[in-house]
Amino acid sequence: MAMTFSDFIRTLGETIQAENGPNLAYLLRPTSPHGKDLVKEFRNPTREGLTSRYGGYIESPWDDIAVRYVMVTAHIARKRAGEAFNEQSQLVSQFFRYFINNTGWTLPALFSMLRDLRDLAFHADNYAKYNNQKSECMESAAGVVVKAFSNCMTDRTSPPSESRKWGVYYVVGLVLKCYFRVKRISLSKNILRALNANPDIPPLSEYPRSHQVTYRYYLGMLSFLNEDYNKSEQELTLAFYQCYIPAHSNQERILTYLLPLRVLRGHLPTRDLMDRFPVLDELFTPFIAAIRAGDLSAYDTALDKWERRLLELNLWLTLERARELCIRGLFRRVWVATDQSTRIPVSMFHCSLRLKGIDVSMEEAECYVANMIYQGYMRGYISHEKKMVVLASANAFPRVADRSAPLS
């Protein structure tokens, strides 16, 4: 049975009185079935007309929220993403008037409205981009979400179990998504600083797993971009193991950055893992195969082939650094070919490089070896007089993970 606007207002009032958060979220979601019913009821609605007719039917600000909801659904039905975003933004602002004076029972509705706001901002910006227009809806959405963060953080009167602070990490995740989308990542520091400065926030482990995973993912991403690889690996690893197994796309997103960090430690992914993620398999397998074979030429070819994609993902420098593992693998093969001799002429390392398509002089080959020793990939020294590499009798090629700073 179709829902009329009068029915919608009545149901909205009953939901508020019962403090039913999930049902409130359902009622205010533009994609809910009753949204289409309201679009059919009002062919060409205007906010002024609806307000003059239905204003006061329900306590403020819910009468205005109901009217703006109709406007949002009408704009979406007519594919006017920009107008829909503006109405949704005003709807959320009106919702804040009620939210800041109540307990956390409204959090499900807040989450739903903020998520819809971000989605509308995304569509509005895309529409403007393809029509050569300027749009900053996502930046505006970030500002609204930051206000929601402040409203959650400042709850000092609600009982602990009903506090708005239980929405903090979800809202933080949404803020960071917006900042990453508009490439204003530096603003994330302000949010994280405010979050860490509040001692009354419950431990992260007590929040829903989905909130934890999103927060740890973006924390790991921020550390990755700041080249704090140890912190990044720690956060991304926790995010991956806490991520729900059916959330395949989220796991793939985490592994996109976790795999290169694990490779830098010398931990190469298994075939079973790569088979589960075909997109990552296509991107990373050429590099992994080259490292296993010590094939520098193949590694450089893969870097050239995937350069644009790696730059888009901010992974090019990381995988360029992992090239040292390929050199280590090649030199270790030379060591094995000499029956693990402790004295190997520099000329043999030079020949191995040339055989793999790396055209370098003897002096450059010596620099390659010196760099491997300096980085801790090999243990030994170079006798310049005899043009000889003298390797340690034990553990000449330590495990990559055993280096003092494998991610440096």
Side-chain angles (χ1 to χ4, degrees):
M1 181 177 177
M3 178 182 285
T4 64
F5 189 52
S6 298
D7 294 335
F8 175 77
I9 291 178
R10 188 187 68 255
T11 306
L12 183 62
E14 293 171 352
T15 300
I16 297 165
Q17 188 174 5
E19 296 189 351
N20 188 332
N23 198 37
L24 180 61
Y26 172 78
L27 284 172
L28 297 177
R29 189 175 300 133
T31 54
S32 295
H34 56 264
K36 295 181 179 179
D37 297 336
L38 299 180
V39 170
K40 293 177 182 177
E41 182 178 354
F42 303 103
R43 294 294 181 180
N44 293 294
T46 62
R47 188 167 61 254
E48 293 77 11
L50 290 172
T51 301
S52 63
R53 183 177 176 184
Y54 294 99
Y57 268 46
I58 190 174
E59 64 178 330
S60 180
W62 295 106
D63 53 351
D64 189 51
I65 289 175
V67 168
R68 290 189 183 277
Y69 174 77
V70 174
M71 297 305 301
V72 170
T73 57
H75 288 311
I76 291 176
R78 290 162 178 78
K79 300 187 184 302
R80 297 195 291 253
E83 290 83 348
F85 168 79
N86 292 332
E87 290 292 347
Q88 181 73 9
S89 180
Q90 292 300 317
L91 186 154
V92 175
S93 297
Q94 290 293 329
F95 177 79
F96 286 162
R97 291 173 52 194
Y98 183 87
F99 180 70
I100 60 175
N101 296 315
N102 285 270
T103 59
W105 75 267
T106 51
L107 283 175
L110 177 72
F111 296 163
S112 177
M113 286 189 289
L114 293 179
R115 188 169 57 247
D116 292 334
L117 181 71
R118 181 183 174 276
D119 291 344
L120 288 171
F122 175 78
H123 292 304
D125 285 349
N126 272 354
Y127 179 84
K129 178 181 177 181
Y130 289 119
N131 288 275
N132 296 319
Q133 299 171 354
K134 186 177 181 181
S135 175
E136 296 180 348
C137 289
M138 190 62 74
E139 287 196 42
S140 299
V144 174
V145 181
V146 169
K147 291 180 183 177
F149 170 72
S150 300
N151 290 335
C152 290
M153 289 280 286
T154 54
D155 187 2
R156 297 182 177 87
T157 58
S158 302
S161 60
E162 302 175 4
S163 174
R164 297 195 302 272
K165 291 178 180 177
W166 291 110
V168 164
Y169 282 104
Y170 180 91
V171 176
V172 166
L174 211 53
V175 173
L176 296 178
K177 286 181 184 179
C178 293
Y179 284 158
F180 271 73
R181 168 62 62 177
V182 298
K183 294 179 170 52
R184 299 292 296 276
I185 300 171
S186 60
L187 296 177
S188 304
K189 296 179 181 179
N190 300 330
I191 296 294
L192 297 177
R193 190 180 300 116
L195 182 63
N196 295 328
N198 193 327
D200 298 327
I201 300 296
L204 178 61
S205 58
E206 296 184 11
Y207 284 78
R209 275 174 60 187
S210 58
H211 299 194
Q212 296 181 45
V213 169
T214 302
Y215 176 72
R216 290 194 181 282
Y217 167 75
Y218 281 105
L219 208 59
M221 282 299 302
L222 288 170
S223 299
F224 185 92
L225 295 175
N226 291 326
E227 297 190 3
D228 185 356
Y229 291 148
N230 287 304
K231 175 71 172 175
S232 179
E233 183 187 20
Q234 177 186 352
E235 295 296 342
L236 292 175
T237 300
L238 288 171
F240 180 75
Y241 284 117
Q242 289 180 330
C243 188
Y244 291 104
I245 294 177
H248 187 272
S249 61
N250 289 344
Q251 289 183 321
E252 182 177 287
R253 189 169 300 175
I254 296 168
L255 283 176
T256 300
Y257 296 91
L258 182 56
L259 281 180
L261 294 178
R262 299 294 289 170
V263 168
L264 283 178
R265 281 194 181 274
H267 300 300
L268 303 183
T270 63
R271 186 69 256 164
D272 289 342
L273 178 66
M274 301 308 292
D275 287 341
R276 287 171 52 197
F277 301 94
V279 174
L280 299 184
D281 185 22
E282 182 184 12
L283 177 61
F284 290 122
T285 293
F287 298 100
I288 295 166
I291 290 173
R292 292 186 190 278
D295 193 339
L296 267 177
S297 179
Y299 197 95
D300 291 342
T301 300
L303 277 177
D304 291 339
K305 177 182 178 181
W306 293 101
E307 180 178 6
R308 176 174 294 183
R309 180 61 178 154
L310 294 175
L311 288 173
E312 290 174 354
L313 294 170
N314 291 304
L315 285 174
W316 195 88
L317 288 176
T318 308
L319 285 174
E320 200 276 336
R321 181 177 296 181
R323 184 175 183 269
E324 294 176 344
L325 299 181
C326 206
I327 301 172
R328 174 194 178 275
L330 175 61
F331 287 177
R332 190 178 187 281
R333 285 171 174 260
V334 173
W335 174 65
V336 171
T338 60
D339 293 329
Q340 302 182 4
S341 172
T342 58
R343 286 172 172 77
I344 304 174
V346 174
S347 58
M348 292 196 67
F349 293 105
H350 180 224
C351 288
S352 69
L353 289 168
R354 292 179 66 92
L355 285 173
K356 290 299 183 181
I358 308 301
D359 188 13
V360 295
S361 65
M362 183 73 76
E363 290 75 16
E364 288 176 303
E366 190 172 325
C367 287
Y368 272 90
V369 176
N371 187 55
M372 286 290 102
I373 294 173
Y374 176 75
Q375 295 283 353
Y377 291 108
M378 298 167 58
R379 294 177 64 234
Y381 63 92
I382 300 175
S383 174
H384 296 286
E385 292 182 3
K386 298 182 179 180
K387 297 291 184 182
M388 188 75 67
V389 179
V390 182
L391 296 174
S393 58
N395 201 21
F397 285 82
R399 292 174 62 247
V400 176
D402 292 339
R403 295 168 58 221
S404 57
L407 294 180
S408 65

